[in-house]
Amino acid sequence: MSIESLDLYKAISYLGSDGDEGSWLRFDEYHRVALLRLAGAGADFALLASNTPHHRFETIVRDVGIP
């Protein structure tokens, strides 16, 4: 088991604005990189134990390679 613990305050500082897809790039990438680290560590799957990124879930998990 591997755990990625992200800084909530950093994630919140990266929040974008609905209707402005480009404003979400840093937020999406911050979460995606953590998932890629998990995949690289050999994880078979990942869980996002947070309700903050649910709004961007489809974009965050794109091309991650693990469910």
Side-chain angles (χ1 to χ4, degrees):
M1 177 169 31
S2 183
I3 297 174
E4 283 288 324
S5 180
L6 300 182
D7 182 337
L8 179 60
Y9 293 107
K10 184 181 281 190
I12 289 172
S13 75
Y14 295 157
L15 287 175
S17 300
D18 288 338
D20 182 2
E21 194 65 22
S23 69
W24 289 97
L25 293 175
R26 288 174 57 186
F27 183 86
D28 296 346
E29 189 65 10
Y30 184 57
H31 290 83
R32 182 181 301 105
V33 167
L35 291 173
L36 292 172
R37 282 193 299 264
L38 288 172
D44 295 321
F45 62 93
L47 299 171
L48 291 173
S50 173
N51 57 353
T52 304
H54 81 281
H55 184 64
R56 302 292 301 170
F57 183 79
E58 300 278 331
T59 306
I60 290 169
V61 301
R62 188 179 312 147
D63 300 323
V64 169
I66 57 174

